[in-house]
Amino acid sequence: MKRVADDVLKRHRLRRTPSRKEILGLFFDHDYALSQGIIEQRVSQASDRVTVYRTLKTFLDKGLIHKVLDTDGGLRYARCNETCVTSNHHHEHVHFKCTQCNQTSCLNVTIPTVALPKGFRAKESNLLIQGVCGSCE
Ligand SMILES: [Zn+2]
Ligand SMILES: [Zn+2]
Ligand SMILES: [Zn+2]
């Protein structure tokens, strides 16, 4: 999947370093969100912790990946769809955590609008639903 990663980096006008290709490739190899720890385990020795951290930060800024909040307060990252760019990087979709395989994935389901009290204005919303995913059901 490094080939796809290469194209995406090119499209976002990012320098195509081996670390970036490798890390972005992981997101194309998996349908679920990845934690920094998992990414560190899967990449080659050439990408150390700092490289992984910096690469994830660049991908977040540029609209290649987005954060997924986990139930334990930790963070995972998921691939963005093609419409995300730096200036427009919204994720109004539901995330689903499977309590059996412990994987969190993006669902193609929009977060419903919640009526807020007067004087409150929403800027961003996150919705994580827990249950059993299609593969474990
Ligand atoms: Zn995005
Ligand atoms: Zn599952
Ligand atoms: Zn998502």
Side-chain angles (χ1 to χ4, degrees):
M1 281 305 194
K2 285 194 190 169
R3 174 92 194 245
V4 183
D6 196 69
D7 287 346
V8 172
L9 289 172
K10 203 157 143 190
R11 197 149 22 92
H12 283 82
R13 285 192 231 110
L14 285 169
R15 224 161 24 92
R16 287 168 283 156
T17 65
S19 297
R20 284 180 179 173
K21 280 190 226 176
E22 185 176 31
I23 295 169
L24 190 59
L26 284 178
F27 285 98
F28 283 96
D29 286 341
H30 297 90
D31 284 335
Y32 49 89
L34 304 169
S35 66
Q36 187 172 335
I38 291 200
I39 294 166
E40 283 168 13
Q41 280 168 27
R42 311 242 166 119
V43 290
S44 56
Q45 294 291 319
S47 309
D48 59 11
R49 266 194 87 130
V50 178
T51 311
V52 171
Y53 174 82
R54 287 203 188 124
T55 307
L56 290 177
K57 190 170 182 317
T58 304
F59 289 172
L60 282 170
D61 289 347
K62 301 292 179 184
L64 275 68
I65 59 172
H66 60 276
K67 288 179 182 173
V68 180
L69 300 175
D70 205 350
T71 42
D72 56 11
L75 267 184
R76 297 192 197 195
Y77 304 91
R79 184 158 51 90
C80 286
N81 58 30
E82 311 225 323
T83 56
C84 273
V85 288
T86 313
S87 51
N88 190 355
H89 193 14
H90 295 298
H91 301 280
E92 303 303 315
H93 59 263
V94 172
H95 288 128
F96 189 91
K97 178 164 185 171
C98 176
T99 50
Q100 307 228 344
C101 61
N102 209 27
Q103 282 163 7
T104 307
S105 38
C106 299
L107 294 186
N108 195 14
V109 175
T110 310
I111 298 178
T113 313
V114 176
L116 294 174
K118 207 168 170 250
F120 289 79
R121 189 164 55 94
K123 277 184 123 177
E124 194 191 305
S125 43
N126 293 291
L127 179 58
L128 180 70
I129 297 178
Q130 293 184 75
V132 183
C133 79
S135 336
C136 296
E137 185 56 65

